[in-house]
Each structure stands twice: as structure tokens, then as C-alpha cells.
Amino acid sequence: ASHPPGSDAVEVAIIVVHGANRVEEGYFREMVRIVDEHKSSEHTLVVAPAWGEKPCSAADWSGGTSNQVRGDAQAPMWALVDRPFAASEARSWTLGGGSVQGAHSFEVLDSVVEWVEVNYPRIQRLVVTGFSAGGQYVDRWAALSPEGANGVTRSRGVPLRIIVGSASTLVYLSEERPDPACDPDEDQGPHWDCRNFSIPRPGRDCDLRWDKYWI
């Protein structure tokens, strides 16, 4: 986190979710840089949680200086390198899958949102965003998490905005998809709006693989 817990200066929080390569420190640094460019760092918190693929204890992460959790507390891990299908298990975090320790990845982000609210008492706005595989994860989390109902967090009612970046699949709540006419393959300007939806006919309306709830 870019501000220590308990800071009264924080009014806006940005939680950024890494992509498939899981280099959360890179996402953290880039978001902090953007916040600094907008001269908003004094009042803006950046948090970049990690859905890890290797063991990590609190002592490992903090260099043994943490006073918030036990030094032997283990972070959730989404990889079982000594088992078949380890690669697919490692990516299961993007689908809400359970960690080696049992925590489900959507519950982890719920906990991060709650942690921000508890530790930054003057928080007024919260943003959750992800890029690529992180965008897919955030999109699915938004559809299934109780956080964000009616545009606010469930605990304190803090306004919550969710931004999905470059997700290669998107969640749909029915079989309907935007009509092909909604994608004219040319710039329609910032106010383009298409409200025509229908159930695609495989091989005719689209060449992409799709199922009832995402594409």
C-alpha cells in the first residue's frame, strides 16, 4: 500500500489487479506514477494485491518487520507445481478458484476492499481495476461479489467504481450478445450507444467461441 494503515490523509483508494504474469509490483509502481503525475498522491491510496504462485509468509514479505500479522502467516497461493494440470490450477484465481490454503480468489478481493475501509477511516471513494487477466478477474468478481451492489461497498457504503481493462473475455448474464451492427469497425465517437441484442448463431453471426455466459 502506498500509505501506511491509519492514514487520515487518504480519501481515494485504487485497488489494481495484476495480469497473468502476476508482477504486482510493476502494476503498483505504474499506478503510483500515474497518481503522482496527477498530483494526487497525498490523498490517494494505491493497493496492488498479489494472487501468488509460490509460498510467501508475512516475515518474507516484510523482511521480518511486520507488526500487523504473525510472521509465520502464509499468503494464499494459486499453484500446485508438483501436480498434473499445475498451469490451469495456477490460473484458477481468475475464475474465483480456491487457493492451496482454501481461500477463494473473489473472497480475497472482498477482504482487500474491507481492509481498505477499516484501515483508512476517511476514505470517500474506492476504485477496483484490473488489466488483461486481471481485467477478466475484476469483471467476474464484479458480477458475483456482494461488493458494489447499488454502486457502493457493503460495509460502509463507500462509492465503488469498477474499471475493466483489456479483458479477452467478458461476463454476460444471458445468452444475448450485441448485434453485429453494434460493431461497425469504425470510430463512432464518444457517445456511440447500441441497444440491440440477440442470441448469436454460431458460424453466422460470429466466428468466436462463445457460451451462454461469456465470450
Side-chain angles (χ1 to χ4, degrees):
S2 59
H3 287 262
S7 171
D8 288 331
V10 172
E11 298 177 354
V12 178
I14 302 172
I15 300 171
V16 56
V17 178
H18 58 67
N21 53 10
R22 298 200 260 197
V23 285
E24 70 286 343
E25 66 276 11
Y27 284 79
F28 177 79
R29 288 195 299 266
E30 182 64 12
M31 188 60 71
V32 167
R33 182 189 66 79
I34 293 169
V35 169
D36 285 343
E37 281 187 356
H38 287 78
K39 303 186 186 305
S40 301
S41 58
E42 181 180 354
H43 302 294
T44 302
L45 170 74
V46 176
V47 179
W51 282 261
E53 78 279 22
K54 56 186 178 182
C56 181
S57 70
D60 294 334
W61 184 261
S62 64
T65 61
S66 174
N67 58 8
Q68 296 184 53
V69 294
R70 300 190 326 270
D72 61 348
Q74 296 292 317
M77 181 176 65
W78 279 265
L80 297 174
V81 294
D82 58 345
R83 287 177 48 177
F85 310 112
S88 61
E89 288 180 332
R91 289 290 297 273
S92 69
W93 67 272
T94 66
L95 299 166
S99 67
V100 174
Q101 293 87 346
H104 289 268
S105 68
F106 292 158
E107 295 174 330
V108 171
L109 188 50
D110 289 344
S111 297
V112 174
V113 170
E114 183 178 0
W115 180 85
V116 168
E117 290 186 290
V118 168
N119 286 279
Y120 300 89
R122 293 187 60 198
I123 194 79
Q124 297 177 20
R125 287 186 293 137
L126 204 153
V127 177
V128 174
T129 185
F131 179 78
S132 190
Q136 295 181 72
Y137 168 85
V138 168
D139 184 47
R140 296 161 187 166
W141 170 80
L144 297 172
S145 171
E147 297 289 356
N150 301 311
V152 298
T153 61
R154 57 178 167 171
S155 176
R156 289 178 45 196
V158 175
L160 173 61
R161 184 177 185 184
I162 296 167
I163 302 174
V164 174
S166 291
S168 59
T169 64
L170 293 172
V171 172
Y172 286 85
L173 302 181
S174 75
E175 296 181 64
E176 293 185 330
R177 300 291 185 272
D179 280 343
C182 289
D183 185 14
D185 200 26
E186 58 186 29
D187 187 3
Q188 300 297 305
H191 303 296
W192 170 247
D193 185 15
C194 185
R195 300 176 182 272
N196 299 322
F197 284 73
S198 61
I199 298 177
R201 295 164 294 179
R204 297 182 63 182
D205 292 335
C206 66
D207 296 324
L208 298 174
R209 293 181 58 195
W210 67 282
D211 62 24
K212 290 183 179 181
Y213 299 110
W214 58 23
I215 187 169

